[in-house]
Amino acid sequence: MSENAFIEYDGNKLELETMIGSENEIGVDITQLRAKTGMITLDPGYGNTGSCASDITYIDGDKGILRYRGYSIEELAEKSTFMECAFLILKGHLPNHSELAEFDQGISEQAGLHYSMKNNFDGFPANAPPMAILSSMLNTLACYNTELLMTEHEGEAFELVVSKIISKVRTIAAWTYRTSQGRAYMPPNPNLSYSGNFLHMMFSQPFDEYKIIPEVEAAVDLFFVLHADHEQNCSTSTVRMVGSSRANLFSSVAAGVGALWGPLHGGANAAVIDMLENIHSNGIKLSDYVDAAKDKNNDTKLMGFGHRVYKSFDPRAKILKTHVDSVLEALKIDDPLLNIARELEEVALHDEYFVSRNLYPNVDFYSGILLKAIGIPVDMFTVMFAIGRMPGWISNWREMLSHNQRICRPRQVYTGENLRPYVSISDR
Ligand code: ACO
């Protein structure tokens, strides 16, 4: 039973309904606030604003809990593949054998890109940022699928768009890398798994097939599982916001890539490696680096630490940390950056500044070391995140439309000039 909330202002009292979620989170419904009082709420950064009700992902940031559709991330990481997870996030239940085979095949069939898209890749300079290429090429897919630019969120045509995006994002990512290397594009191999096919398209040469190491394939798959959704983060909210104007799915996810690019969001995995390399190559003392990160007059941050929602360990970071060792061992890599990361974590976890602010390692702290070991270049790290996040973005886009959500259009409190007369240029 939910109790209502009250807002009292200037002698008037307004009763507001509350909504209680399945994990007992309470939301105060303020949709009538402005109509009834003329007031709006103010919450820059949306730290206290619930933008929707959602069935997809649950996070308890204080307890370090993450669940997709009710399944714990720990169990999914151990027992599921990325394809199973994508199905789960999109459809709400774990697939049986035939459902998974059909889903997998639908995605596998869509791995190729239209031959003319080669010209689009060729048009980018070799040093073009991969996230810019990814976003452009996802929008370019709209040009090759004009008959699918509808805003329906179910049915065969929608399922086809979903397969195309989840499959082609991986091909686009791999070909982006090959563009930067000046190498010929490698066609997909339908006999490989989702993650194996990605590694093949990244690293195989025309007469030299990339040898897929099972530990590496499993680690890439795990990386995608861990990134598959994370409720209303910056990029997912962007996808929902763009989609709320009834923009098509291709352009909505392309916008999500833009939001993910920033170093405060998905770009942090690359920023972590930059930070560790800087510490390593310049022989910076870890305590000095931590001191700089604590100094408010200094722009330095401990990248890969802190999170808007998690106020304890990010469960994804815990899982990745344990897998980094097995991958480095399988590849016989001894990365000094891993030791620096471990020591940095130890220093920060015992430092009053980080402890009192509940700043713990997030998913990006160890994912960079894993991707680097696999041979993914640093500027492709955030692209990897985008591949993994695609089921979450799509599922949120669909949920938003299935709730027939109004166009997103926040308000503001205006703090600029009041009405003033225009001054002609000769009098200024
Ligand atoms: N290093 C040093 N200080 C930090 C850090 C950090 N990484 N993160 C937060 N703080 C400090 C803030 O300066 C602030 O201090 P104050 O209370 O004295 O002013 C306090 O901790 C609270 O932090 P906020 O900035 O208010 O936290 P917010 O929720 O706005 O930001 C964010 C979260 C962006 C993730 C932030 O912690 C950060 O910049 N971390 C580094 C970048 C990073 O790793 N991003 C990846 C996030 S995970 C993801 O997107 C997949």
Side-chain angles (χ1 to χ4, degrees):
M1 203 23 207
S2 62
E3 277 187 42
N4 286 349
F6 295 89
I7 284 189
E8 217 172 325
Y9 185 76
D10 206 15
N12 295 315
K13 196 170 177 184
L14 177 69
E15 187 167 359
L16 299 166
E17 283 186 13
T18 51
M19 179 180 187
I20 304 205
S22 46
E23 292 288 344
N24 295 322
E25 290 166 304
I26 305 169
V28 178
D29 181 346
I30 54 141
T31 45
Q32 294 304 310
L33 182 65
R34 190 172 165 279
K36 294 202 169 154
T37 67
M39 294 192 296
I40 61 166
T41 55
L42 194 59
D43 184 20
Y46 306 140
N48 299 288
T49 297
S51 60
C52 60
S54 178
D55 298 344
I56 306 169
T57 289
Y58 173 68
I59 300 177
D60 182 331
D62 295 326
K63 297 190 184 135
I65 292 174
L66 169 61
R67 294 179 201 145
Y68 302 155
R69 302 281 191 184
Y71 295 101
S72 81
I73 192 66
E74 289 79 8
E75 237 192 325
L76 289 169
E78 191 191 329
K79 298 175 183 165
S80 151
T81 63
F82 178 55
M83 282 297 92
E84 269 187 281
C85 239
F87 184 102
L88 170 70
I89 287 171
L90 288 162
K91 303 196 188 262
H93 64 274
L94 284 168
N96 61 28
H97 278 301
S98 64
E99 285 173 322
L100 183 60
E102 193 187 334
F103 182 71
D104 217 359
Q105 190 186 339
I107 286 182
S108 202
E109 280 169 3
Q110 292 299 330
L113 296 179
H114 192 287
Y115 184 74
S116 303
M117 282 183 81
K118 186 181 164 304
N119 299 322
N120 297 83
F121 278 104
D122 288 346
F124 290 109
N127 64 351
M131 285 295 272
I133 300 183
L134 183 66
S135 183
S136 315
M137 293 306 253
L138 285 168
N139 253 321
T140 305
L141 285 181
C143 310
Y144 289 90
N145 293 281
T146 48
E147 74 290 359
L148 295 173
L149 302 186
M150 74 307 163
T151 48
E152 274 94 18
H153 51 275
E154 51 198 28
E156 251 177 58
F158 174 72
E159 298 298 336
L160 181 60
V161 175
V162 173
S163 303
K164 279 177 185 273
I165 294 178
I166 292 185
S167 194
K168 292 181 198 302
V169 66
R170 162 190 63 164
T171 314
I172 292 171
W175 287 16
T176 297
Y177 170 64
R178 298 185 85 95
T179 303
S180 73
Q181 300 293 298
R183 288 191 193 148
Y185 306 123
M186 182 54 58
N189 176 349
N191 300 320
L192 298 173
S193 72
Y194 185 91
S195 300
N197 207 350
F198 170 70
L199 288 166
H200 157 72
M201 287 191 280
M202 282 284 285
F203 300 125
S204 281
Q205 299 304 342
F207 298 103
D208 184 10
E209 187 87 357
Y210 172 79
K211 191 175 168 310
I212 295 172
I213 300 169
E215 286 88 345
V216 171
E217 186 179 8
V220 170
D221 215 62
L222 173 74
F223 176 92
F224 292 150
V225 167
L226 296 180
H227 287 79
D229 193 39
H230 212 235
E231 52 119 303
Q232 307 312 316
N233 55 83
C234 178
S235 55
T236 304
S237 300
T238 300
V239 172
R240 276 186 177 252
M241 180 170 266
V242 173
S244 78
S245 75
R246 306 310 188 251
N248 65 76
L249 187 52
F250 297 106
S251 67
S252 300
V253 296
V257 170
L260 187 69
W261 192 355
L264 298 189
H265 190 13
N269 54 15
V272 168
I273 293 295
D274 289 344
M275 171 184 79
L276 297 174
E277 271 170 355
N278 176 27
I279 292 172
H280 181 56
S281 54
N282 295 311
I284 298 172
K285 259 176 68 184
L286 295 188
S287 54
D288 288 349
Y289 193 89
V290 169
D291 284 346
K294 293 181 331 190
D295 181 356
K296 297 287 173 205
N297 299 316
N298 192 320
D299 285 341
T300 305
K301 272 191 171 186
L302 191 46
M303 298 312 287
F305 258 71
H307 197 277
R308 171 61 59 81
V309 179
Y310 292 120
K311 299 304 169 198
S312 72
F313 256 93
D314 176 341
R316 301 166 302 172
K318 268 193 196 168
I319 296 168
L320 271 180
K321 188 178 174 183
T322 57
H323 280 79
V324 165
D325 286 330
S326 65
V327 170
L328 294 193
E329 205 176 297
L331 293 170
K332 301 190 176 40
I333 291 175
D334 182 18
D335 189 343
L337 299 192
L338 180 59
N339 291 335
I340 295 176
R342 286 191 184 121
E343 284 171 39
L344 202 51
E345 182 184 334
E346 272 311 296
V347 174
L349 290 179
H350 293 96
D351 188 295
E352 200 277 329
Y353 174 96
F354 291 90
V355 173
S356 65
R357 288 170 179 75
N358 295 317
L359 301 171
Y360 292 89
N362 59 51
V363 68
D364 293 320
F365 195 65
Y366 283 104
S367 66
I369 293 172
L370 184 81
L371 296 178
K372 183 169 167 276
I374 292 167
I376 309 288
V378 176
D379 64 359
M380 287 284 296
F381 285 6
T382 316
V383 170
M384 298 289 291
F385 191 150
I387 300 174
R389 185 53 56 85
M390 216 40 91
W393 285 346
I394 294 172
S395 195
N396 273 277
W397 186 91
R398 180 176 46 196
E399 187 178 70
M400 182 268 309
L401 287 176
S402 71
H403 291 178
N404 199 18
Q405 193 188 290
R406 297 170 81 194
I407 186 168
C408 293
R409 200 327 186 164
R411 297 257 173 186
Q412 63 167 14
V413 174
Y414 175 67
T415 55
E417 297 285 349
N418 295 117
L419 179 65
R420 48 183 172 165
Y422 181 79
V423 181
S424 75
I425 197 160
S426 53
D427 295 334
R428 282 177 224 157

